[in-house]
Amino acid sequence: MPADALRIATWNVNSIRTRVGRVVDWLQRGDVDVLAMQETKCSDDQFPTMPFLEAGYEVVHCGFNQWNGVAIASRVGLEDVQVGFDGQPSWSKDGVDAKAEARALAATCAGVQVWSLYIPNGRTLDDPHYQYKLEWLAALRNTADSWLQRDPAAQIALVGDWNIAPTDEDVWDISVFENSTHVSAAERTAFDAFAATRFTDVVRPFTPGPGVYTYWDYTQLAFQKRRGMRIDFILGSPAFAERVVHGEIVKDERRPGKKGDPAPSDHAPVLVDLQR
């Protein structure tokens, strides 16, 4: 990484308490300034803050139980922390605040507003959770558009696990996903709609082509057989995008560790370097 760069990454860690050692180790090896995490799967009082502090990172976390959970770790400051975004839908029909779902968390780090996002899965095409997913994406798009309407020069990064593979080449075999979520026309349209609000995928230009994935299931040796999906993204506002000088999917962090080590997350980190 260039000495004058700012490195921002996102990683679905799939249980931070299980993998905190791996995560903090990579933060230091990877010279990462800001890391957005998803699926921390713990409450705020269970989050393992101390290893991050010992490594020089401040942490903010939003989690309530063993589901979902989002966090941001930064060694360049954490300001203006926000839990949830305006208009964020809630899955609960019992009046539970959408923020309690722990799917969206923001902080300003070195002048960049970083949103750690864990977009709903959708489950199946005929499940009510699928409509909830589309509503969630539409609400995020509308709110993000309003941010740029107010300040076109705002530096904003929408990062995380989007649970969408935007093109056929973003899955290992599109025929396997016929009539499935993640690749449906409505989900892809919802993802593409962010480009109309001027948020663009800033990593793909540096990682083009088929077979470039960010997620591999644990079953049936999916990683070893290269059966993956590209579902983790960094979408940047125009002012953010123009600063990007490098993008990368750190596939090696998905590889199994030494015997006895905790299993890796089923996702790989995704990062960008920004010119300061």
Side-chain angles (χ1 to χ4, degrees), residues 14-35:
N14 191 18
S15 181
I16 188 60
R17 288 180 292 172
T18 300
R19 299 182 174 85
V20 61
R22 277 181 172 267
V23 173
V24 173
D25 176 65
W26 179 70
L27 278 175
Q28 297 174 301
R29 285 187 292 107
D31 199 19
V32 178
D33 295 300
V34 182
L35 174 64

Side-chain angles (χ1 to χ4, degrees), residues 11 17-18 27 36 56 81 111 139 144 160 162 186-187 193 199-200 276:
W11 195 359
R17 288 180 292 172
T18 300
L27 278 175
V81 174
W162 290 74
E187 290 167 286
F199 281 89
T200 56
R276 286 188 186 265

Side-chain angles (χ1 to χ4, degrees), residues 7 15 22 49 57 91 97 104-105 108 127-128 159 168 216:
R7 176 161 286 179
S15 181
R22 277 181 172 267
T49 301
Y57 292 83
W91 170 241
D97 192 302
L105 177 69
T108 299
D127 192 293
V159 314
D168 286 357
W216 301 258

Side-chain angles (χ1 to χ4, degrees), residues 73-131:
S74 172
R75 64 182 185 186
V76 292
L78 281 171
E79 301 175 348
D80 302 325
V81 174
Q82 299 180 52
V83 177
F85 56 86
D86 290 345
Q88 181 179 330
S90 172
W91 170 241
S92 171
K93 308 305 181 185
D94 301 321
V96 175
D97 192 302
K99 295 177 181 179
E101 294 185 5
R103 290 189 178 276
L105 177 69
T108 299
C109 310
V112 177
Q113 187 183 57
V114 178
W115 279 91
S116 182
L117 303 168
Y118 180 48
I119 279 74
N121 178 284
R123 301 176 183 170
T124 65
L125 297 182
D126 58 358
D127 192 293
H129 207 261
Y130 176 74
Q131 291 303 317

